[in-house]
Amino acid sequence: MSTQIPKQTEESTEAETETEPASKGEERRAEKRRRAAERRQQRQEEEAEKAAADESTVELKVFRYDPQVEGKQEPRFDTFHVPFTKGMTVLDALMYARDTYDSSLTFRHSCRQAVCGSDAMFVNGGQKLACKTQISDLEEPVRVEPLPHAEVTKDLVVDMEHFYEQMEAVEPYFQTDEYPDGELEEQRQDRENREKIKMSTRCIWCGACMSSCNVAAGDNEYLGPAAINKAYRFAMDEREGEEMKQKRLEIIEQEHGVWRCQTQFSCTEVCPKDIPLTEHIQKLKREAVKNNLKFW
């Protein structure tokens, strides 16, 4: 005895297709994306566990914050375990964490040679250049945060607009009254004067000194050590015009200028280029006093 299976007609198939809700396809695609995200998360966790088990790893605790994404608007710290290699810098470790574990991790960097100043961060409680700071010199876990006393844009990126405005306030460019007679003749500077201002020319506009300054934290109008150092660089240059030098002294001796400095040396301690910022500020104070002395 044989059993015949009823043949499904094309009409019934079409009817079932027509009654299927249009949202089913979207649900399937959403489920597919969810499963793919779970698999990626699982792989990242497995890689992190494997790295953590390896003795040659470094533990990073990185500040995270993204005001544009729901669920990330509350600041937190994420932990990454990065394979350690000889000569690794904090920037190297951050780049590995970004490229391997979380592509949304955001920070500034450019030259990687401590010249551009774009990757200044707060590392283990101090302002440092990430590209210059060796992992081997730090205690674990290595805690990386954005620069204090600045508005955080995302993760380790801060808004530098106010810092740049303070730098521009001192007119940080050379201005002279006289030019050499010859068209191609250079404007000479004697060796002693060059040595006097040499260190001040090394500023890379990283903002580390401004971030470390307690006065700047409490006084938003204070020019700050970087801007005052830039004023020193030009005011002490023998080629600067007398009229412009007088103008610079008037800028730096204002209420929110050199006299707000409390000589705490915090800016000098964190400067990645070893500029004696506090010393330069004190020298400008003396210049301001001499400029106002009258003997008649």
Side-chain angles (χ1 to χ4, degrees):
M1 182 177 178
S2 62
T3 304
Q4 293 185 350
I5 301 174
K7 185 177 180 181
Q8 188 178 25
T9 63
E10 293 182 1
E11 290 80 3
S12 63
T13 304
E14 291 176 358
E16 290 176 4
T17 304
E18 289 175 359
T19 57
E20 183 179 1
S23 61
K24 287 290 186 181
E26 296 179 1
E27 291 179 0
R28 285 196 296 270
R29 287 192 291 272
E31 178 65 17
K32 186 177 180 180
R33 289 195 296 269
R34 185 185 66 79
R35 290 178 179 176
E38 289 180 351
R39 287 195 295 270
R40 286 196 300 271
Q41 180 66 24
Q42 184 177 359
R43 284 198 300 270
Q44 290 177 358
E45 291 176 355
E46 290 174 353
E47 290 173 356
E49 291 176 359
K50 182 179 178 181
D54 191 345
E55 292 182 357
S56 59
T57 61
V58 58
E59 181 180 350
L60 290 181
K61 294 183 74 68
V62 183
F63 180 89
R64 305 300 305 277
Y65 168 71
D66 189 348
Q68 302 294 328
V69 179
E70 187 176 354
K72 295 184 178 180
Q73 296 171 350
E74 286 295 324
R76 69 181 192 278
F77 280 89
D78 284 353
T79 300
F80 301 98
H81 291 89
V82 176
F84 175 77
T85 57
K86 185 177 180 180
M88 173 179 277
T89 64
V90 171
L91 180 59
D92 293 331
L94 288 171
M95 293 175 70
Y96 184 94
R98 178 196 61 193
D99 298 342
T100 306
Y101 302 129
D102 187 348
S103 60
S104 70
L105 178 59
T106 306
F107 50 91
R108 290 190 180 107
H109 66 92
S110 183
C111 73
R112 302 180 67 179
Q113 298 180 46
V115 175
C116 70
S118 61
D119 64 342
M121 302 174 189
F122 199 58
V123 182
N124 279 11
Q127 287 81 359
K128 303 178 187 298
L129 287 186
C131 66
K132 185 180 179 182
T133 305
Q134 292 285 316
I135 289 290
S136 58
D137 294 336
L138 302 172
E139 294 183 0
E140 291 191 46
V142 178
R143 187 181 178 98
V144 188
E145 303 170 72
L147 289 176
H149 308 146
E151 181 182 354
V152 179
T153 303
K154 180 181 178 183
D155 292 343
L156 302 173
V157 177
V158 298
D159 186 352
M160 297 289 288
E161 191 64 28
H162 176 65
F163 173 79
Y164 295 143
E165 288 175 354
Q166 299 301 80
M167 294 294 282
E168 291 294 337
V170 299
E171 301 187 24
Y173 38 86
F174 187 68
Q175 301 177 62
T176 186
D177 294 335
E178 299 179 358
Y179 294 92
D181 295 331
E183 183 179 352
L184 300 179
E185 185 179 348
E186 64 183 11
Q187 198 158 16
R188 297 183 182 277
Q189 178 185 30
D190 69 47
R191 189 166 298 180
E192 288 184 2
N193 186 247
R194 177 60 187 175
E195 286 299 314
K196 183 177 182 178
I197 67 169
K198 180 174 69 176
M199 293 300 295
S200 65
T201 66
R202 295 182 177 181
C203 178
I204 56 175
W205 294 44
C206 67
C209 60
M210 191 81 157
S211 172
S212 72
C213 179
N214 292 329
V215 176
D219 181 359
N220 200 45
E221 296 183 53
Y222 176 47
L223 286 174
I228 296 175
N229 173 75
K230 189 61 67 174
Y232 174 92
R233 178 260 176 274
F234 292 106
M236 296 300 187
D237 192 316
E238 64 182 1
R239 299 167 297 177
E240 178 87 312
E242 286 300 318
E243 183 178 343
M244 188 57 210
K245 181 175 180 179
Q246 181 68 29
K247 182 179 178 180
R248 288 194 197 281
L249 291 176
E250 291 173 0
I251 292 173
I252 60 96
E253 67 181 8
Q254 61 178 293
E255 179 182 355
H256 301 281
V258 291
W259 303 112
R260 292 288 287 120
C261 174
Q262 297 176 358
T263 324
Q264 296 177 350
F265 288 90
S266 57
C267 56
T268 301
E269 291 177 0
V270 303
C271 179
K273 308 305 285 186
D274 299 321
I275 303 172
L277 296 164
T278 308
E279 180 182 333
H280 290 169
I281 294 173
Q282 302 315 305
K283 287 183 178 179
L284 280 180
K285 286 181 179 179
R286 289 195 289 272
E287 286 295 314
V289 170
K290 289 191 293 184
N291 185 60
N292 289 317
L293 284 178
K294 304 296 181 183
F295 296 99
W296 58 90

